[in-house]
Amino acid sequence: MSQLQPCLEFRAYLESEGALSVSEIRIKVGAKHDAQIRHWRDGLRRPKPKTAVALERVTGGRVPRKVWYPVDWMEIWPELAHQDNFALRAKRTMPPGAEVSHG
């Protein structure tokens, strides 16, 4: 396993206005102690894949699960690799200047 780094996305989320508190996140993702949340933020540890999914959910996608496993996320969540490949192919086949409507 490579050297862990602080999770900048998680840190930015925690520092943003309206973000859940460390304690609220702990409760929502099922962590045992607030210190676990701070360890993830500071890069001392990383959450298990199941917890990374929960963090993505409770942060509204602002902390994507992939950031915790930048090298091996495709092995953990192969369905995301398929989605990324599909989105990339769709983007490449769009005419220049065309945009996808999300609403």
Side-chain angles (χ1 to χ4, degrees):
M1 187 166 86
S2 63
Q3 180 72 23
L4 295 177
Q5 300 292 322
C7 184
L8 301 179
E9 292 86 352
F10 194 38
R11 182 179 296 274
Y13 171 79
L14 289 169
E15 294 173 356
S16 68
E17 187 173 330
L20 295 171
S21 69
V22 167
S23 295
E24 290 170 323
I25 290 172
R26 176 187 49 81
I27 292 166
K28 289 184 179 283
V29 303
K32 293 180 182 176
H33 305 284
D34 287 357
Q36 285 180 276
I37 309 302
R38 290 188 291 272
H39 287 174
W40 300 336
R41 176 198 63 201
D42 298 338
L44 301 174
R45 296 180 177 264
R46 65 181 174 180
K48 293 178 181 176
K50 183 177 179 180
T51 307
V53 173
L55 285 165
E56 181 179 65
R57 188 184 71 251
V58 303
T59 63
R62 291 177 55 194
V63 184
R65 66 185 85 173
K66 296 177 192 178
V67 301
W68 303 105
Y69 294 86
V71 175
D72 51 359
W73 67 266
M74 288 184 280
E75 295 171 15
I76 300 167
W77 302 290
E79 69 280 7
L80 295 183
H82 176 71
Q83 290 172 358
D84 281 0
N85 287 335
F86 180 78
L88 182 59
R89 283 194 307 272
K91 187 175 182 178
R92 287 181 182 160
T93 60
M94 289 174 49
E99 293 184 20
V100 176
S101 173
H102 295 286

